[in-house]
Amino acid sequence: MQNYLNDNVALQNTIATMEVERKKVAAEQTKGFTFIGIGVGVAIIGLLFGLLFWAVLAGLIPVLYGCIILYQINDALKAYQQAYKQNIIGEALKFLDPSLTINPKEGISSDEFSYSQLFNKSVDRYKTEDLVSGKADKTSFYFAEVHAEYKTERQTDKGTETSWSNIFKGIIFVADFNKHLSSITIVRPKDLGNTISSWFSKNVFSFSDRDVIQLENPDFSRAFITYGSNQVESRYILTPSLMERILYLNANSEATISLSFIASRMYIAFPLDRNCFEAPIFESLLNPASLNTDINTIRFMYDIVKELDLNTRIWGKE
């Protein structure tokens, strides 16, 4: 990655310019949080001495001042975060492949999320951002961060209590598949003891046991359970070669993946416990570690087309 940065002069210049902005934002945020901390500390000391009124008054002044500082820097913070995605991540994408673009404010719609049929639970809260799209040879693809949740409500003595649980948090990857499909095939994790697998098992599209596809790769069958609405077509899709490639992709992912093949698209869900493409505030942009993580994520997604051999049009689709 260091060579990657060294070879990309435009990116180096952008990083150097934005490092100045990062330092300004970090300094103001540090100042704001410091005053808030001082105010809280003063209030606690005052309360320990039984001076309730003076504790609140003395603590409130620095807290308010700290909040004002954070409020005033908020626009600059948002501008810096957007510039990081557009200018740094965007430039890095173009260096990897000129077709790659990022749109921080776009994502995968909740309708398409549901259409993937990887999850059947009703979505009550949905957030998506950082849509990356491109084309590798013949294959168009796009992916974005998604956080989908459902709510649970229960009545208590104090009223309705609402709690939120994840349906999915991570990256949804969508690619053009090499065949127009007339059926649906879904591949999900088999290990029901795994937390991620548990929600796939509960939320997967409503197939029954009779729709389970029996495949001849024992390693694949140990890792995944496959459902299909057309046994013959599902086996045509999941060739021995593709099953091996999916196993390889899964082994190199951060958590167990799940896939669906619908119409002429392939969907892959990659659970993640972090947000991608977020601008560092208190860490120098000149340190390539954080950018490394983002670029490696992009490269991993970009290489899916090659790893799954999606450019081979074995059914004649162009």
Side-chain angles (χ1 to χ4, degrees):
M1 179 62 194
Q2 190 61 52
N3 291 335
Y4 173 87
L5 289 174
N6 291 340
D7 293 339
N8 193 334
V9 177
L11 183 57
Q12 288 183 57
N13 293 336
T14 301
I15 289 174
T17 301
M18 287 199 59
E19 174 65 6
V20 176
E21 294 303 313
R22 184 202 67 80
K23 286 181 177 179
K24 291 179 182 177
V25 171
E28 288 300 297
Q29 281 208 328
T30 300
K31 184 178 176 182
F33 289 131
T34 299
F35 273 98
I36 291 173
I38 290 171
V40 172
V42 168
I44 291 173
I45 293 171
L47 289 173
L48 291 175
F49 284 95
L51 304 172
L52 177 60
F53 174 78
W54 294 109
V56 172
L57 181 62
L60 188 60
I61 293 172
V63 167
L64 287 176
Y65 183 60
C67 289
I68 290 171
I69 292 173
L70 294 179
Y71 176 77
Q72 290 176 334
I73 198 65
N74 191 53
D75 287 344
L77 172 62
K78 288 181 179 178
Y80 163 71
Q81 291 171 328
Q82 288 298 312
Y84 175 83
K85 293 180 180 183
Q86 292 282 16
N87 300 337
I88 294 183
I89 298 298
E91 180 63 37
L93 286 170
K94 289 178 183 177
F95 194 79
L96 178 61
D97 187 313
S99 74
L100 292 173
T101 60
I102 183 170
N103 191 328
K105 296 182 179 181
E106 296 294 327
I108 290 172
S109 71
S110 58
D111 286 343
E112 184 166 21
F113 179 80
S114 299
Y115 176 79
S116 73
Q117 299 191 19
L118 291 171
F119 312 96
N120 195 38
K121 200 155 190 77
S122 177
V123 176
D124 295 311
R125 188 161 65 184
Y126 187 83
K127 180 183 178 183
T128 182
E129 62 180 355
D130 299 333
L131 178 68
V132 175
S133 55
K135 190 171 185 178
D137 195 8
K138 302 172 185 176
T139 303
S140 298
F141 65 91
Y142 53 93
F143 61 90
E145 289 186 276
V146 167
H147 188 190
E149 300 170 281
Y150 69 92
K151 68 179 178 180
T152 304
E153 295 182 338
R154 68 185 187 94
Q155 296 299 321
T156 67
D157 295 339
K158 297 179 180 179
T160 303
E161 184 180 276
T162 302
S163 60
W164 294 91
S165 302
N166 284 340
I167 297 172
F168 177 77
K169 186 176 188 295
I171 289 177
I172 298 292
F173 176 93
V174 187
D176 177 37
F177 197 54
N178 53 28
K179 185 182 188 297
H180 293 293
L181 305 173
S182 59
S183 65
I184 297 168
T185 299
I186 294 178
V187 178
R188 67 175 178 85
K190 193 171 186 180
D191 179 11
L192 299 182
N194 181 284
T195 302
I196 294 165
S197 304
S198 295
W199 10 280
F200 278 124
S201 69
K202 289 182 289 187
N203 299 329
V204 75
F205 189 65
S206 54
F207 285 105
S208 65
D209 289 342
R210 68 176 180 272
D211 298 310
V212 173
I213 309 298
Q214 300 299 327
L215 300 166
E216 295 180 0
N217 184 320
D219 292 332
F220 193 88
S221 296
R222 277 192 290 269
F224 300 103
I225 184 165
T226 303
Y227 292 94
S229 57
N230 183 310
Q231 294 269 337
V232 174
E233 188 169 64
S234 292
R235 291 193 185 94
Y236 271 120
I237 294 168
L238 294 167
T239 62
S241 175
L242 183 58
M243 284 189 285
E244 288 294 339
R245 290 173 183 274
I246 291 173
L247 284 171
Y248 176 82
L249 184 67
N250 186 60
N252 287 277
S253 302
E254 293 186 20
T256 308
I257 66 174
S258 190
L259 307 90
S260 64
F261 301 84
I262 302 173
S264 60
R265 291 179 179 176
M266 176 188 69
Y267 293 87
I268 311 179
F270 292 91
L272 293 175
D273 58 3
R274 60 182 171 83
N275 289 331
C276 300
F277 318 131
E278 297 303 317
I281 305 297
F282 300 106
E283 181 180 344
S284 174
L285 288 173
L286 303 178
N287 177 359
S290 26
L291 185 57
N292 248 342
T293 302
D294 287 337
I295 298 305
N296 287 339
T297 298
I298 293 167
R299 189 182 294 276
F300 180 84
M301 295 295 161
Y302 180 79
D303 286 344
I304 289 173
V305 174
K306 178 179 67 176
E307 295 298 340
L308 298 186
D309 197 25
L310 298 182
N311 282 315
T312 300
R313 298 323 206 209
I314 60 175
W315 286 290
K317 180 182 176 185
E318 293 297 334

